[in-house]
PDB file of all heavy atoms in Angstrom:
ATOM      1  N   TYR A  12     -12.167 -19.848  10.406  1.00  0.00           N
ATOM      2  CA  TYR A  12     -12.845 -19.666   9.123  1.00  0.00           C
ATOM      3  C   TYR A  12     -13.725 -18.428   9.204  1.00  0.00           C
ATOM      4  O   TYR A  12     -14.501 -18.259  10.150  1.00  0.00           O
ATOM      5  CB  TYR A  12     -13.707 -20.886   8.800  1.00  0.00           C
ATOM      6  CG  TYR A  12     -12.917 -22.142   8.504  1.00  0.00           C
ATOM      7  CD1 TYR A  12     -12.392 -22.916   9.534  1.00  0.00           C
ATOM      8  CD2 TYR A  12     -12.695 -22.547   7.187  1.00  0.00           C
ATOM      9  CE1 TYR A  12     -11.655 -24.061   9.267  1.00  0.00           C
ATOM     10  CE2 TYR A  12     -11.971 -23.696   6.906  1.00  0.00           C
ATOM     11  CZ  TYR A  12     -11.450 -24.448   7.949  1.00  0.00           C
ATOM     12  OH  TYR A  12     -10.734 -25.577   7.674  1.00  0.00           O
ATOM     13  N   GLY A  15     -18.186 -14.030   8.858  1.00  0.00           N
ATOM     14  CA  GLY A  15     -18.721 -12.764   9.335  1.00  0.00           C
ATOM     15  C   GLY A  15     -19.329 -11.869   8.287  1.00  0.00           C
ATOM     16  O   GLY A  15     -19.663 -10.725   8.582  1.00  0.00           O
ATOM     17  N   ALA A  22     -13.348  -7.462  14.714  1.00  0.00           N
ATOM     18  CA  ALA A  22     -14.570  -7.008  15.372  1.00  0.00           C
ATOM     19  C   ALA A  22     -14.994  -8.007  16.445  1.00  0.00           C
ATOM     20  O   ALA A  22     -15.028  -9.222  16.210  1.00  0.00           O
ATOM     21  CB  ALA A  22     -15.693  -6.840  14.349  1.00  0.00           C
ATOM     22  N   SER A  32     -15.340 -24.860   8.368  1.00  0.00           N
ATOM     23  CA  SER A  32     -15.888 -24.206   7.184  1.00  0.00           C
ATOM     24  C   SER A  32     -17.408 -24.100   7.279  1.00  0.00           C
ATOM     25  O   SER A  32     -18.102 -25.100   7.447  1.00  0.00           O
ATOM     26  CB  SER A  32     -15.503 -25.006   5.931  1.00  0.00           C
ATOM     27  OG  SER A  32     -16.087 -24.441   4.783  1.00  0.00           O
ATOM     28  N   ALA A  38     -16.234 -17.980  17.441  1.00  0.00           N
ATOM     29  CA  ALA A  38     -14.875 -18.347  17.833  1.00  0.00           C
ATOM     30  C   ALA A  38     -14.040 -17.088  18.027  1.00  0.00           C
ATOM     31  O   ALA A  38     -14.361 -16.015  17.509  1.00  0.00           O
ATOM     32  CB  ALA A  38     -14.237 -19.248  16.778  1.00  0.00           C
ATOM     33  N   ASP A  46      -4.175 -20.727  11.795  1.00  0.00           N
ATOM     34  CA  ASP A  46      -4.322 -20.759  10.342  1.00  0.00           C
ATOM     35  C   ASP A  46      -5.703 -20.217   9.990  1.00  0.00           C
ATOM     36  O   ASP A  46      -6.721 -20.673  10.526  1.00  0.00           O
ATOM     37  CB  ASP A  46      -4.177 -22.183   9.820  1.00  0.00           C
ATOM     38  CG  ASP A  46      -2.772 -22.727   9.996  1.00  0.00           C
ATOM     39  OD1 ASP A  46      -1.817 -22.003   9.669  1.00  0.00           O
ATOM     40  OD2 ASP A  46      -2.620 -23.872  10.459  1.00  0.00           O
ATOM     41  N   PHE A  49     -10.449 -18.306   4.265  1.00  0.00           N
ATOM     42  CA  PHE A  49     -11.602 -17.717   3.586  1.00  0.00           C
ATOM     43  C   PHE A  49     -11.896 -18.678   2.441  1.00  0.00           C
ATOM     44  O   PHE A  49     -11.072 -18.812   1.525  1.00  0.00           O
ATOM     45  CB  PHE A  49     -11.278 -16.326   3.041  1.00  0.00           C
ATOM     46  CG  PHE A  49     -11.108 -15.264   4.087  1.00  0.00           C
ATOM     47  CD1 PHE A  49      -9.960 -15.206   4.863  1.00  0.00           C
ATOM     48  CD2 PHE A  49     -12.098 -14.322   4.290  1.00  0.00           C
ATOM     49  CE1 PHE A  49      -9.791 -14.223   5.826  1.00  0.00           C
ATOM     50  CE2 PHE A  49     -11.938 -13.318   5.252  1.00  0.00           C
ATOM     51  CZ  PHE A  49     -10.788 -13.276   6.024  1.00  0.00           C
ATOM     52  N   ILE A  77     -11.262  -8.985   0.420  1.00  0.00           N
ATOM     53  CA  ILE A  77     -10.449  -8.583   1.562  1.00  0.00           C
ATOM     54  C   ILE A  77      -9.960  -7.170   1.287  1.00  0.00           C
ATOM     55  O   ILE A  77      -9.339  -6.906   0.256  1.00  0.00           O
ATOM     56  CB  ILE A  77      -9.266  -9.536   1.777  1.00  0.00           C
ATOM     57  CG1 ILE A  77      -9.775 -10.906   2.244  1.00  0.00           C
ATOM     58  CG2 ILE A  77      -8.293  -8.962   2.805  1.00  0.00           C
ATOM     59  CD1 ILE A  77      -8.674 -11.929   2.483  1.00  0.00           C
ATOM     60  N   THR A 109       2.282   2.978   0.563  1.00  0.00           N
ATOM     61  CA  THR A 109       3.175   1.862   0.860  1.00  0.00           C
ATOM     62  C   THR A 109       3.038   1.392   2.297  1.00  0.00           C
ATOM     63  O   THR A 109       3.556   0.340   2.656  1.00  0.00           O
ATOM     64  CB  THR A 109       4.645   2.254   0.594  1.00  0.00           C
ATOM     65  OG1 THR A 109       4.963   3.418   1.382  1.00  0.00           O
ATOM     66  CG2 THR A 109       4.850   2.567  -0.873  1.00  0.00           C
ATOM     67  N   THR A 125       1.199 -17.602  -3.039  1.00  0.00           N
ATOM     68  CA  THR A 125       0.450 -17.604  -4.286  1.00  0.00           C
ATOM     69  C   THR A 125      -0.484 -16.409  -4.274  1.00  0.00           C
ATOM     70  O   THR A 125      -1.352 -16.304  -3.400  1.00  0.00           O
ATOM     71  CB  THR A 125      -0.383 -18.897  -4.431  1.00  0.00           C
ATOM     72  OG1 THR A 125       0.469 -20.033  -4.327  1.00  0.00           O
ATOM     73  CG2 THR A 125      -1.108 -18.921  -5.770  1.00  0.00           C
ATOM     74  N   SER A 142      12.028 -19.099   5.125  1.00  0.00           N
ATOM     75  CA  SER A 142      12.145 -19.040   3.665  1.00  0.00           C
ATOM     76  C   SER A 142      10.763 -19.041   3.039  1.00  0.00           C
ATOM     77  O   SER A 142       9.817 -19.635   3.577  1.00  0.00           O
ATOM     78  CB  SER A 142      12.975 -20.211   3.117  1.00  0.00           C
ATOM     79  OG  SER A 142      12.263 -21.429   3.208  1.00  0.00           O
ATOM     80  N   ASN A 150       3.355  -9.194  -7.698  1.00  0.00           N
ATOM     81  CA  ASN A 150       3.240  -7.775  -8.008  1.00  0.00           C
ATOM     82  C   ASN A 150       3.238  -6.942  -6.734  1.00  0.00           C
ATOM     83  O   ASN A 150       2.374  -7.107  -5.859  1.00  0.00           O
ATOM     84  CB  ASN A 150       1.938  -7.500  -8.776  1.00  0.00           C
ATOM     85  CG  ASN A 150       1.898  -8.205 -10.117  1.00  0.00           C
ATOM     86  OD1 ASN A 150       2.836  -8.105 -10.913  1.00  0.00           O
ATOM     87  ND2 ASN A 150       0.821  -8.921 -10.388  1.00  0.00           N
ATOM     88  N   VAL A 173       8.697 -10.939 -11.117  1.00  0.00           N
ATOM     89  CA  VAL A 173       8.442 -10.047  -9.986  1.00  0.00           C
ATOM     90  C   VAL A 173       8.354  -8.626 -10.520  1.00  0.00           C
ATOM     91  O   VAL A 173       9.274  -8.146 -11.195  1.00  0.00           O
ATOM     92  CB  VAL A 173       9.554 -10.149  -8.927  1.00  0.00           C
ATOM     93  CG1 VAL A 173       9.336  -9.129  -7.815  1.00  0.00           C
ATOM     94  CG2 VAL A 173       9.619 -11.566  -8.354  1.00  0.00           C
ATOM     95  N   SER A 183      22.529  -5.815   7.454  1.00  0.00           N
ATOM     96  CA  SER A 183      23.629  -6.776   7.574  1.00  0.00           C
ATOM     97  C   SER A 183      23.179  -8.120   8.139  1.00  0.00           C
ATOM     98  O   SER A 183      23.998  -8.921   8.574  1.00  0.00           O
ATOM     99  CB  SER A 183      24.744  -6.195   8.459  1.00  0.00           C
ATOM    100  OG  SER A 183      24.243  -5.840   9.742  1.00  0.00           O
ATOM    101  N   ILE A 214      23.130 -13.702  -3.119  1.00  0.00           N
ATOM    102  CA  ILE A 214      22.248 -13.716  -4.274  1.00  0.00           C
ATOM    103  C   ILE A 214      22.669 -14.830  -5.212  1.00  0.00           C
ATOM    104  O   ILE A 214      23.833 -14.897  -5.615  1.00  0.00           O
ATOM    105  CB  ILE A 214      22.273 -12.375  -5.030  1.00  0.00           C
ATOM    106  CG1 ILE A 214      21.810 -11.230  -4.116  1.00  0.00           C
ATOM    107  CG2 ILE A 214      21.385 -12.437  -6.282  1.00  0.00           C
ATOM    108  CD1 ILE A 214      21.897  -9.859  -4.744  1.00  0.00           C
TER     109      ILE A 214
END
Side-chain angles (χ1 to χ4, degrees):
Y12 292 80
S32 176
D46 293 314
F49 289 75
I77 291 180
T109 57
T125 304
S142 72
N150 297 309
V173 175
S183 57
I214 300 176

